[in-house]
Amino acid sequence: MSRRLAALLGALCVAGAAALALALGSPASSLVRAVCDVAAVVTLGLVVVPALDVERYRDELAARAARPLVLVSALWTVAELVRLVVGAAEAAGWSAARVGVRTTVAFATDTEVGRAGLVCLSAALVVCVVALSSPRGTRPSSAPGVLAVGAAAIGVAGRSLVGHLSESPLGGMAVAVHALAAAAWCGVLAGLVLVVTHRGRWARVLPRFSQMSSWCVAVLLVFGVVGAAVTLTSPTDLYGTQYGRVLTAKVVVTVVLVVLAARNRAGWLPAARSHRATVDVSRSRSRVELAVMAIALTLAAALAVTG
């Protein structure tokens, strides 16, 4: 039930954020992009999360992550395929229902955006195959685990290099690093919610997650500022352009998220470390943070397709 609740909460947040992005001028395809990005982020989190536990319990945590990883990576694969079809339809000026296999293949092989989408689809498929072939789960340090982590990271960063910042080497690097840092922070927390079921494990993994997330926040803020500086020509762009308005909304949500994470670090982390926080408390704190993360990720996806 808790997994279903987390999935429902995430879906509602993504839908709400997508509606906000549409109101700010983002195209309808931003919803498809958001589903791809959220699925990719959670996939990355699930393949990384066993590394947060101590050596003795990593295989057990990997086994618990195995089934969710299959489901989420399969969703990611399907979403990336739909994204290619929608992209082909937009490029051809048709509705998605009219686009055939030949047009989609031509879009995926002949255009820069299509090739980026094909890379992401391939990455999602690789993770899904690895997950299906490892029913007991994979450690990130094992050969299949390294392959899954690498493929998930490529899938997260691959499309980020295409779009507004692809013409600038500095901007392209900044947006890719920003996307990976955000994916590690958000995805690993989602993975924890999906697989951690007792307070003893929360006491072990949460301090490690907190340390990792601190670095992720620092990296995503620095490189996010660099990416924005490369893209925007004037401070007035933050409210005078569609891109700027979506970026402003994303910045506001990110500030809320950072403040929320700081409060959790000050209160929830010490309680969990000392076994004073119950599983329900830990999951409740995580879900609130994940809800805000889902909104931020959806706005980031909208930003990538907004002119």
Side-chain angles (χ1 to χ4, degrees), residues 233-248:
T233 59
S234 167
T236 60
D237 289 346
L238 288 171
Y239 58 86
T241 65
Q242 293 177 341
Y243 183 87
R245 287 191 290 271
V246 177
L247 176 60
T248 300

Side-chain angles (χ1 to χ4, degrees), residues 128-145:
C128 190
V129 169
V130 170
L132 285 169
S133 62
S134 306
R136 295 184 179 181
T138 59
R139 286 188 175 206
S141 58
S142 66

Side-chain angles (χ1 to χ4, degrees), residues 29-38 83 159-160 162 300-302 304-305:
S29 59
S30 61
L31 179 58
V32 180
R33 171 67 184 258
V35 174
C36 290
D37 287 358
V38 171
R83 168 69 176 158
R159 190 176 281 116
S160 299
V162 178
V305 296

